[in-house]
Amino acid sequence: MTRRTFFDRIFAAIFGGTGLAFVGSALAYLYPNKNFISGTRQFSNMAGQPILEKEIGEGQFKSGVALGSPAIVYRQHGELIALSAVCTHLGCTVSYLEEEQIFRCPCHGGEYDLDGSVLDGPPPRPLPRLTVKIENGKILLS
């Protein structure tokens, strides 16, 4: 094998691998995970146990997950309200501070009110509000 043939094969392998990685990424983008396309999602705790409607009393807040995305559900004036718990700045998970009655992002100090509107900090948009549906006592978010 000549030196030129050796380098031709090395470069072909490098560029071929790069091309395969690009094609794989493009296909993953075109064919997304079907779990995230479904219309409703069950609200569960971190252990995967469903959080039931009756577990959330007036003024209580519950943090959980719906198909891998953190969410916060609370009851206000008898109605269940759900917000995404993902900060709109850089994607950290916000938490509820009961004494101040706000949601705060631990990463860069973004603050949101109970409706998800930005009060302070770098977040460019409010927290997205999620649709709540109750089926057999289970909370489904979409």
Side-chain angles (χ1 to χ4, degrees):
M1 173 184 308
T2 66
R3 183 176 176 168
R4 180 181 187 106
T5 305
F6 173 76
F7 281 111
D8 284 346
R9 290 183 180 171
I10 291 293
F11 286 125
I14 290 171
F15 290 121
T18 304
L20 285 175
F22 174 76
V23 169
S25 298
L27 288 175
Y29 176 78
L30 293 174
Y31 298 101
N33 185 342
K34 292 182 179 163
N35 288 334
F36 292 97
I37 298 174
S38 66
T40 59
R41 304 179 296 173
Q42 184 171 313
F43 185 58
S44 306
N45 62 20
M46 297 303 171
Q49 301 297 321
I51 297 174
L52 303 177
E53 176 191 17
K54 65 182 180 182
E55 295 177 23
I56 304 175
E58 184 68 31
Q60 285 186 317
F61 289 74
K62 293 279 185 177
S63 296
V65 179
L67 282 181
S69 182
I72 296 174
V73 177
Y74 64 98
R75 189 179 299 272
Q76 186 176 44
H77 306 297
E79 177 187 3
L80 285 180
I81 298 170
L83 297 170
S84 170
V86 178
C87 180
T88 58
H89 177 231
L90 289 178
C92 298
T93 303
V94 301
S95 55
Y96 177 66
L97 302 178
E98 189 173 346
E99 60 279 354
E100 299 177 43
Q101 292 192 345
I102 60 169
F103 299 107
R104 181 174 290 147
C105 177
C107 297
H108 300 103
E111 294 180 351
Y112 302 89
D113 68 8
L114 295 181
D115 291 331
S117 300
V118 178
L119 293 174
D120 191 23
R125 294 176 310 283
L127 293 173
R129 191 161 180 171
L130 304 172
T131 304
V132 177
K133 185 177 179 184
I134 307 298
E135 283 185 9
N136 299 325
K138 294 181 182 176
I139 302 169
L140 303 174
L141 306 178
S142 58

